[in-house]
Each structure stands twice: as C-alpha cells, then as structure tokens.
C-alpha cells in the first residue's frame, strides 16, 4: 500500500540544467539526425530528481517489480531554452486506492513544477501517475 500520509508531501526544491547531449540522444531515438534547436516537449522525463533527493519509488515504498507507470501530463506556460536553469518543486498531490481483479492498486499523482531559475516564472507543470500493484 502507499500510505495516505504521503499526500501533500513536498520535497526540498532542486536546480536542474538542461543537457543538449541528452536532447540529441532523444532525437536519435526518434530517428532524427538533426541537433535539437528547441527543447523537445517530453524531454523533462529524462530529468528525474532521484540523485537530487526525490526518490519516489523509495519514499512511497513502491518496489520496482510492483510499479506501473501510468504516464505524464504536461502543461507548458513558458518556452524553455537549452541554456536555462530550472528550479523544480515536487509534491505528492494525491494518493488513492482502487480495487482490481488482481487485488488493490494504489495510485500516486506527483506534480513537478519547473520554474525558470532566472525569473521564477512557472515554465512547465508535469503530473506523473505511479501505480503500485499488490504483491504477487
């Protein structure tokens, strides 16, 4: 189970710098040869904060073998450039439990707010949904 006590939890903010080389690898994976001029819309999925103190799988007690990733939703408010630094705030917005044929499922909706470090403006809001399955 994912405890409801995680609901509303906020992590200390951390700073990210975009990496054009990761962007090139992303473009290559899509079969594109050109260097990315703009930051791809889904590039932020590569900028996880596990090494910076936001290890959701550990903190929410979701063993990798019981985890399902239910996707992301992005809201873009400002263009992000390759030379921009981003300040990231992460919070567990909601934890819910649902019954399924194979046992209970727990859903954690986690919100990442990416702010332009220079201006403080909200650039992107990402909502990621993680699912923990019952132990087999």
């Amino acid at each position: 189970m994912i405890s409801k006590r995680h609901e509303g939890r906020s992590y200390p903010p951390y700073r990210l710098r975009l990496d054009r080389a990761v962007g090139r690898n992303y473009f290559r994976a899509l079969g594109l040869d050109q260097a990315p001029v703009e930051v791809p819309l889904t590039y932020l999925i590569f900028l996880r904060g596990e090494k910076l103190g936001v290890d959701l799988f550990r903190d929410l007690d979701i063993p990798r073998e019981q985890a399902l990733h239910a996707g992301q939703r992005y809201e873009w408010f400002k263009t992000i450039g390759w030379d921009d630094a981003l300040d990231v705030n992460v919070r567990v917005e909601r934890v819910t439990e649902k019954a399924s044929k194979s046992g209970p499922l727990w859903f954690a909706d986690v919100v990442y707010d990416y702010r332009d470090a220079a201006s403080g403006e909200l650039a992107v809001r990402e909502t990621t949904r993680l699912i923990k399955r019952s132990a087999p």
Side-chain angles (χ1 to χ4, degrees), residues 71-75 93 109 111 124-129:
Q72 292 86 18
R73 181 180 68 240
Y74 294 94
E75 297 173 80
E93 184 172 83
D109 291 334
V111 175
V124 179
R125 175 167 287 146
E126 172 193 345
T127 303
T128 294
R129 177 168 279 180

Side-chain angles (χ1 to χ4, degrees), residues 32-78:
L32 304 171
D33 291 329
Q34 78 268 16
V37 175
E38 296 180 358
V39 176
L41 294 178
T42 55
Y43 171 84
L44 297 174
I45 190 68
F46 294 106
L47 300 178
R48 289 292 168 238
E50 282 89 358
K51 294 178 183 175
L52 300 169
V54 181
D55 188 341
L56 295 169
F57 291 100
R58 181 196 66 215
D59 294 348
L60 299 176
D61 189 28
I62 305 174
R64 296 284 178 161
E65 65 276 2
Q66 290 177 253
L68 297 171
H69 185 246
Q72 292 86 18
R73 181 180 68 240
Y74 294 94
E75 297 173 80
W76 287 81
F77 303 101
K78 181 181 185 306

Side-chain angles (χ1 to χ4, degrees), residues 4 47 54 58 64 72 86-87 94 111-112 114 118 132:
K4 286 287 269 184
L47 300 178
V54 181
R58 181 196 66 215
R64 296 284 178 161
Q72 292 86 18
L86 299 171
D87 288 331
R94 184 177 313 120
V111 175
Y112 292 77
Y114 298 88
K132 179 180 180 181

Side-chain angles (χ1 to χ4, degrees), residues 81-101:
W82 284 109
D83 297 321
D84 293 343
L86 299 171
D87 288 331
V88 184
N89 292 298
V90 181
R91 76 181 180 287
V92 178
E93 184 172 83
R94 184 177 313 120
V95 174
T96 55
E97 180 181 347
K98 295 186 179 183
S100 75
K101 290 179 183 179

